[in-house]
Amino acid sequence: MTAENPYIPYTATVEETWYETGGDRCIKTFKVVFDDEDVRTNWNHRPGQCAMIGILGVGESMISISCSPTEGEFLRFSVMKMGKVTQALHQLEPGDKMMVRGPYGNSFPVDDWHGKQILTVGGGVGQAPLRPVVEYVKANRDKYAGLTMIYGARTSGDLCFKGEFEEMSKSDGLSCHLTIDVEEEGWGHNVGFVPQMLLDLNPSPEDTIVITCGPPIMIRFVLENLKKLGFADEQIYTTLENRMKCGIGKCGRCNAGGMYVCKDGPVFSYAVLKDIPEAFA
Amino acid sequence: MSAMLLNKEKWPEFIGKLTGKNLWAPKLEGEAMRFAPVAEDEVPELTDGNTRIPPKNIVFPQTETMYRFQLGDFEMKEPELKEEMILLGIRPCDARAMVIVDKLFSWDVDDPYYLKRRELVTLVGLACSEPGLNCFCTSLGGGPASTEGLDLLMVDLGDSYLLETITPKGEALVSEVSELLIEADTEKIKMKKKMVSESEGKIKRSVDHKGIPEGLPGLWEDPLWKSVSASCLGCGTCTYLCPTCHCFDIQDETEGFEARRCRMWDSCMFEEYTLHTSGHNPRPTRRERTRNRINHKYNYYVDKFDVIACVGCGRCINLCPVNIDIVEILRQVKEAL
Ligand SMILES: Cc1cc2nc3c(=O)[nH]c(=O)nc-3n(C[C@H](O)[C@H](O)[C@H](O)COP(=O)(O)OP(=O)(O)OC[C@H]3O[C@@H](n4cnc5c(N)ncnc54)[C@H](O)[C@@H]3O)c2cc1C
Ligand code: SF4
Ligand code: SF4
Ligand code: FES
């Protein structure tokens, strides 16, 4: 990521780590800070963008930047343990180095949404790209009419960013609705699937932007229900995920139809997405 | 642009002047013709027909070191690319392919490896007098003597080569061998024209691509994709040997503490290409992968870069082990529009 070579990553130091969820495919969050001061100050990401993070000798993976630039001069990544690279990343502890290049992709056009009500609908690790939007709106509270967040996972243990929700529901104009698939003892929130919860809440489409990220099956039903609620294609945003290597529109790997997800995406409005042939493949 | 003449008697001398300059030319290695460095005392003969392996590896090596590092250390060393080279005998279609691929590698973010290699290479083309059985360059804006992408074009006129300079790089090369050349007269230019039009006449295959880029989206679910891909083995030959295919994988290789991150050719015809770690595959069968290959070349690339990403070199047809034929696929596409 030098001016001459976009493939060269920067080094960053892991400052804090914690587990969001447990199990085989647990999600660990890393708070990292670039080692070079110039990189730190010049780095500028927007909500919805991603970065290639990795370890020299192992490889790189595309991961959503799960913090808003308004939070400070650090980055957060919430990584699900999947294959080679993500397993190696999971071994990093505070003080260890991580390689980072980016930021990549387009972003949620948050500044075009001033004055609007923002609704986020997330499932599982899909909350990672939504979290920066939530934080951005919180930091610029006066510019938005309000924010409603719907977030669900299989079990309460599969929800990310748990400590952050209570505080949120206390703030004016912000509301947070959590749901899990099946009842658990002591769970004081909704039980049921995310798309159903959306219908039950019955949000008005008027002056509202909705962003949804999560497993493909969830997205499909959320889109269906948004249509039932009267949302227009232009009001709906989501992100796509495809296998990636370069992150800069060269390796050819990430295309969905004629779109390179790493450059033309990952954020798409449904108005664009519905005409991309492979978008929901 | 100047037109000079090199008498073939002076060929060994001409080569002798260039061999010290990192000269590469077609060479038969085993069964396959490919570009290889020309040794000091070697005099390559330029024969009919194109190389089996396209010269894209000159600017986009099959495996390329992106940077080296020591395990446990964070200093990354990029390879220094600075040696100029001359590629002698590249065919017009393959030079045109480079112009097409340039667009991708300079789209928004520059790819330093590819663009540096492009800058360092001088392309000396050879016009085709005997096009191959499956050549269809003339359908796609090219031709047996197309100069797009070339620095210098050579035309075989029997006992001499006509040398036409196209760019300053070509001029520079000609000036270094000027004592071997004479000015070409109008007679020779006429001979060239005749040779080129005869050669064009020998091209028997064609693609009528009018309407295809715009029409492909409408054929997304057409049954033709299943039938045209039914016998595909997923071997990737069609893409590895295609001069416009540019997809790559990135891998880390380690040996003791020495390590490098490198990129290598990859193919959208492989199942793993799009396979997510979760097991989900957006292009699960050869039908989707073949559809992607054709769409990428004849629709997506046109949308983004305004040019079809196929030069009609015929390699994918010649070398597919089960005779899948892009000209035939495109004929069916056209028919289905
Ligand atoms: C835009 C985008 C945002 C993402 N955000 C997150 C996130 O915030 N948190 C998270 O946990 N995961 C995220 N992912 C998925 C994550 O990139 C993959 O899970 C990860 O690359 C798997 O790598 P691996 O080495 O562990 O798996 P392996 O199977 O060992 O590696 C194969 C290689 O293939 C590529 N690859 C495989 N699957 C995917 C995939 N689904 N997406 C992209 N590349 C893939 C990577 O280059 C990877 O190194 C995101 C993917 C994309 C495209
Ligand atoms: S698609 Fe086939 S004919 Fe076209 S450039 Fe590639 S190899 Fe040549
Ligand atoms: S060369 Fe032929 S068999 Fe091999 S992947 Fe291409 S179309 Fe399929
Ligand atoms: S990840 Fe390489 S082109 Fe998108």
Side-chain angles (χ1 to χ4, degrees):
Chain A
M1 210 47 218
T2 57
E4 308 77 39
N5 193 336
Y7 296 103
I8 303 263
Y10 301 126
T11 54
T13 300
V14 177
E15 284 211 330
E16 271 181 75
T17 68
W18 60 89
Y19 283 96
E20 302 286 354
T21 67
D24 286 348
R25 292 193 165 174
C26 51
I27 299 169
K28 189 172 180 179
T29 295
F30 302 86
K31 181 182 173 194
V32 309
V33 173
F34 288 113
D35 291 345
D36 187 300
E37 196 184 324
D38 287 344
V39 175
R40 224 159 34 228
T41 36
N42 293 329
W43 178 275
N44 204 351
H45 75 271
R46 312 280 307 148
Q49 284 193 297
C50 311
M52 270 289 179
I53 69 173
I55 294 174
L56 290 177
V58 182
E60 300 179 299
S61 276
M62 188 62 104
I63 302 292
S64 307
I65 302 170
S66 62
C67 59
S68 158
T70 51
E71 292 178 73
E73 277 189 1
F74 60 84
L75 294 177
R76 269 174 66 163
F77 301 106
S78 297
V79 180
M80 188 184 278
K81 191 172 176 183
M82 298 292 288
K84 195 171 155 204
V85 177
T86 50
Q87 283 178 26
L89 284 168
H90 266 237
Q91 300 189 347
L92 297 183
E93 294 299 341
D96 290 339
K97 302 278 183 212
M98 179 190 278
M99 309 307 289
V100 181
R101 59 185 174 94
Y104 291 137
N106 63 359
S107 56
F108 293 110
V110 281
D111 291 333
D112 298 346
W113 297 341
H114 289 168
K116 296 204 187 285
Q117 180 73 32
I118 309 295
L119 168 63
T120 68
V121 185
V125 73
Q127 190 65 21
L130 294 177
R131 188 184 172 278
V133 177
V134 172
E135 290 304 317
Y136 193 85
V137 170
K138 278 184 2 199
N140 296 279
R141 185 58 199 87
D142 54 324
K143 299 206 178 90
Y144 298 90
L147 179 121
T148 306
M149 177 180 132
I150 301 175
Y151 180 34
R154 235 160 22 89
T155 70
S156 64
D158 295 315
L159 288 167
C160 297
F161 318 126
K162 281 183 274 280
E164 302 176 8
F165 305 138
E166 288 75 21
E167 172 214 355
M168 201 180 135
S169 296
K170 278 185 238 137
S171 325
D172 183 36
L174 306 177
S175 66
C176 170
H177 307 269
L178 304 177
T179 184
I180 55 175
D181 291 359
V182 283
E183 182 67 89
E184 285 172 27
E185 225 184 273
W187 173 253
H189 305 273
N190 190 67
V191 175
F193 296 127
V194 167
Q196 184 58 43
M197 174 148 209
L198 170 69
L199 271 191
D200 295 347
L201 273 175
N202 193 23
S204 155
E206 202 177 327
D207 266 333
T208 301
I209 293 291
V210 44
I211 319 168
T212 180
C213 296
I217 180 89
M218 182 203 93
I219 305 246
R220 184 141 48 100
F221 289 114
V222 165
L223 289 172
E224 241 170 58
N225 291 350
L226 285 170
K227 292 276 112 186
K228 281 186 204 157
L229 293 167
F231 280 85
D233 297 345
E234 293 74 20
Q235 290 174 278
I236 307 171
Y237 286 79
T238 186
T239 59
L240 289 188
E241 181 176 323
N242 261 346
R243 205 169 160 165
M244 293 190 176
K245 284 289 169 177
C246 70
I248 52 174
K250 309 295 177 209
C251 77
R253 181 173 307 268
C254 67
N255 77 299
M259 299 287 178
Y260 283 117
V261 175
C262 70
K263 280 204 67 72
D264 303 314
V267 173
F268 292 95
S269 87
Y270 188 57
V272 172
L273 202 65
K274 67 179 201 303
D275 295 325
I276 304 177
E278 289 179 307
F280 299 106
Chain B
M1 193 185 101
S2 68
M4 308 296 286
L5 214 57
L6 173 73
N7 192 306
K8 283 193 182 169
E9 284 171 3
K10 302 210 167 122
W11 181 247
E13 249 183 286
F14 174 78
I15 294 295
K17 283 197 176 289
L18 301 180
T19 41
K21 298 184 173 8
N22 196 15
L23 177 70
W24 290 55
K27 192 175 195 174
L28 195 63
E29 281 184 355
E31 265 186 30
M33 182 103 107
R34 65 190 311 159
F35 282 83
V38 178
E40 284 291 346
D41 49 357
E42 209 180 339
V43 181
E45 292 299 325
L46 299 178
T47 52
D48 284 335
N50 202 350
T51 53
R52 181 182 292 186
I53 322 269
K56 73 173 171 186
N57 66 313
I58 302 297
V59 283
F60 175 49
Q62 187 162 355
T63 301
E64 169 149 53
T65 300
M66 303 173 79
Y67 44 88
R68 295 183 182 280
F69 49 90
Q70 299 255 315
L71 284 186
D73 189 20
F74 301 95
E75 195 186 326
M76 292 157 275
K77 281 202 200 78
E78 299 165 65
E80 246 186 286
L81 302 177
K82 55 181 183 194
E83 197 181 4
E84 295 188 350
M85 73 186 301
I86 299 169
L87 200 60
L88 180 72
I90 180 175
R91 298 292 177 170
C93 57
D94 290 334
R96 241 197 111 228
M98 288 188 192
V99 176
I100 291 171
V101 177
D102 289 351
K103 292 177 191 273
L104 181 277
F105 279 118
S106 54
W107 174 44
D108 198 27
V109 180
D110 283 351
D111 184 276
Y113 309 98
Y114 176 90
L115 295 177
K116 187 71 198 171
R117 290 182 191 278
R118 278 289 275 136
E119 188 188 308
L120 290 169
V121 68
T122 300
L123 300 180
V124 181
L126 178 64
C128 303
S129 38
E130 293 297 333
L133 278 179
N134 288 311
C135 291
F136 58 105
C137 57
T138 38
S139 300
L140 293 160
S146 151
T147 56
E148 206 181 336
L150 291 175
D151 296 301
L152 182 66
L153 175 71
M154 305 198 329
V155 187
D156 191 340
L157 298 179
D159 51 11
S160 60
Y161 284 114
L162 182 74
L163 266 54
E164 282 182 4
T165 58
I166 327 278
T167 65
K169 265 191 199 170
E171 302 272 4
L173 193 144
V174 160
S175 71
E176 289 179 43
V177 293
S178 56
E179 76 256 32
L180 304 175
L181 309 175
I182 55 167
E183 200 86 27
D185 55 20
T186 48
E187 176 65 17
K188 298 291 180 192
I189 306 285
K190 256 196 224 151
M191 278 175 76
K192 174 205 164 184
K193 286 205 175 117
K194 184 160 168 282
M195 181 288 237
V196 172
S197 87
E198 278 175 11
S199 178
E200 280 169 359
K202 292 179 197 162
I203 293 178
K204 293 290 175 249
R205 305 211 67 187
S206 66
V207 165
D208 176 11
H209 57 78
K210 197 157 170 284
I212 288 183
E214 308 77 25
L216 274 168
L219 299 179
W220 193 253
E221 294 298 346
D222 197 279
L224 80 89
W225 300 116
K226 186 145 182 96
S227 59
V228 299
S229 63
S231 59
C232 172
L233 309 169
C235 67
T237 302
C238 51
T239 48
Y240 266 48
L241 297 182
C242 172
T244 64
C245 278
H246 56 262
C247 291
F248 60 84
D249 192 6
I250 298 179
Q251 295 283 343
D252 287 9
E253 287 185 358
T254 54
E255 222 188 293
F257 285 101
E258 298 295 326
R260 63 168 182 160
R261 184 160 285 168
C262 45
R263 67 174 178 196
M264 51 277 284
W265 293 356
D266 202 350
S267 169
C268 62
M269 299 304 275
F270 295 153
E271 185 176 0
E272 299 74 28
Y273 186 78
T274 42
L275 181 68
H276 293 204
T277 315
S278 62
H280 173 69
N281 196 338
R283 269 177 231 135
T285 75
R286 283 164 210 144
R287 166 181 170 269
E288 291 83 35
R289 302 198 275 272
T290 302
R291 181 173 65 190
N292 180 68
R293 176 164 82 97
I294 303 297
N295 268 277
H296 188 205
K297 293 184 177 300
Y298 279 82
N299 167 15
Y300 310 151
Y301 214 86
V302 182
D303 269 358
K304 272 216 147 53
F305 303 118
D306 234 6
V307 63
I308 290 174
C310 165
V311 293
C313 73
R315 285 188 181 89
C316 59
I317 310 173
N318 294 334
L319 297 158
C320 172
V322 293
N323 301 317
I324 291 175
D325 181 335
I326 193 169
V327 172
E328 171 56 19
I329 295 178
L330 292 164
R331 192 193 58 77
Q332 291 190 28
V333 166
K334 183 87 187 180
E335 208 174 77
L337 287 179

